[in-house]
Amino acid sequence: YQLSNIYDFDPAKHSVPHEKLTCLDRWILGEFAKLEKDVVQAFDKYEFHVVYQKVSQFIAVELSSIYHDVIKDRLYTDAANSHRRRSTQTALHRLVAGLCKMLAPVLVFTADEAWDFVPGKTVESIHRAGWQPSCVFVSESELNDWRVLFAVRDMALPELEKARQAKIIGKSLDAKIEIPKGSLEAQMGRLDDLRELLNVSQIRLTDSASPVVSKADGQKCERCWHWETDIGSAPEHPTICGRCVEAVKQAKG
């Protein structure tokens, strides 16, 4: 998945500095840095079962269930050279290179084969590449924001599932969700991050005691599948939203 989504990424040209990465990309790189530290300690103690457990857990939860799922919209529908897409590709590049190095001692041939497709590598074989665990800084305030956002996500996902079962929505992108103001405390400015984390089309804050899910406003964009109220605002592209119109224009230009 990671390799397939950096096919047009040149680290020398497209890498985004750490401080300019999106919050989501900084979060996953911070989590990966924790994993690397744990894996190094396990290798030093010859505890290969711990390596397997830690890596499997990270791939199943932080990567597959959260990060890889959330970034699909960025990778597939943002303009090819947009900051958000290049930021995510920067994170994917660092993740896949790090995973190859981390797994090289135990998946000798597979790691080397994957390494062949990593853009910008400076040595041909993974077994000649040095491995120094990442040193990624994520501020305590930003980490606290993510703790709150994930807590809200845990509260909202069951309500989205109930709405699916009640046929109010089909996919989560069909939804508009109202979130209690009190649950976000100081994270009012992170609504876009929360909307992306929940994979819904619209989100708003209310005085309700719990999340409320309804059908999203507007129409479904044929390109990104988000429900938006500006569908048809561009006569030359009557079935897609404003964001997708800009992405298509850049692709053609």
Side-chain angles (χ1 to χ4, degrees), residues 76-93:
Y76 303 160
T77 65
D78 279 11
N81 206 36
S82 69
H83 175 268
R84 196 170 71 150
R85 183 169 181 269
R86 292 305 189 194
S87 172
T88 296
Q89 286 184 311
T90 300
L92 289 175
H93 181 261

Side-chain angles (χ1 to χ4, degrees), residues 37-111:
K37 183 178 179 181
D38 290 343
V39 169
V40 165
Q41 292 176 351
F43 272 134
D44 285 344
K45 296 176 182 178
Y46 300 98
E47 294 177 344
F48 302 114
H49 65 289
V50 175
V51 174
Y52 166 77
Q53 291 168 356
K54 294 285 186 180
V55 174
S56 296
Q57 178 78 3
F58 178 80
I59 289 174
V61 179
E62 283 85 356
L63 282 186
S64 296
S65 295
I66 301 175
Y67 186 69
H68 283 174
D69 189 49
V70 170
I71 61 174
K72 288 175 184 176
D73 182 61
R74 300 174 170 205
L75 294 171
Y76 303 160
T77 65
D78 279 11
N81 206 36
S82 69
H83 175 268
R84 196 170 71 150
R85 183 169 181 269
R86 292 305 189 194
S87 172
T88 296
Q89 286 184 311
T90 300
L92 289 175
H93 181 261
R94 290 172 63 178
L95 287 167
V96 74
L99 283 169
C100 284
K101 294 174 182 178
M102 182 185 297
L103 295 173
V106 289
L107 291 176
V108 180
F109 296 107
T110 303

Side-chain angles (χ1 to χ4, degrees), residues 131-246:
W131 177 35
Q132 290 295 326
S134 308
C135 183
V136 175
F137 175 75
V138 182
S139 69
E140 187 56 38
S141 63
E142 195 167 342
L143 289 174
N144 184 63
D145 283 350
W146 282 110
R147 283 191 284 268
V148 173
L149 293 180
F150 278 116
V152 174
R153 179 178 182 265
D154 290 341
M155 177 176 60
L157 289 183
E159 300 304 318
L160 287 167
E161 182 57 32
K162 290 177 185 176
R164 269 191 288 269
Q165 293 177 0
K167 308 298 183 184
I168 296 172
I169 61 172
K171 298 179 181 295
S172 58
L173 278 176
D174 297 340
K176 173 174 69 176
I177 187 164
E178 298 177 354
I179 299 293
K181 291 179 181 177
S183 62
L184 285 175
E185 301 173 356
Q187 287 74 34
M188 299 298 186
R190 301 291 299 274
L191 284 186
D192 281 343
D193 291 324
L194 181 59
R195 183 202 57 74
E196 190 177 30
L197 199 58
L198 293 174
N199 197 32
V200 296
S201 286
Q202 294 143 19
I203 189 169
R204 61 189 290 260
L205 298 177
T206 67
D207 294 320
S208 60
S210 59
V212 177
V213 178
S214 59
K215 190 67 177 288
D217 299 328
Q219 297 173 273
K220 183 178 179 180
C221 173
E222 287 190 352
R223 183 173 180 273
C224 69
W225 294 6
H226 284 245
W227 285 71
E228 302 289 355
T229 57
D230 64 349
I231 306 295
S233 58
E236 67 274 26
H237 299 291
T239 61
I240 61 177
C241 67
R243 179 177 67 116
C244 285
V245 168
E246 291 304 312

Side-chain angles (χ1 to χ4, degrees), residues 124-135:
E124 287 304 310
S125 172
I126 187 63
H127 303 295
R128 291 183 177 274
W131 177 35
Q132 290 295 326
S134 308
C135 183

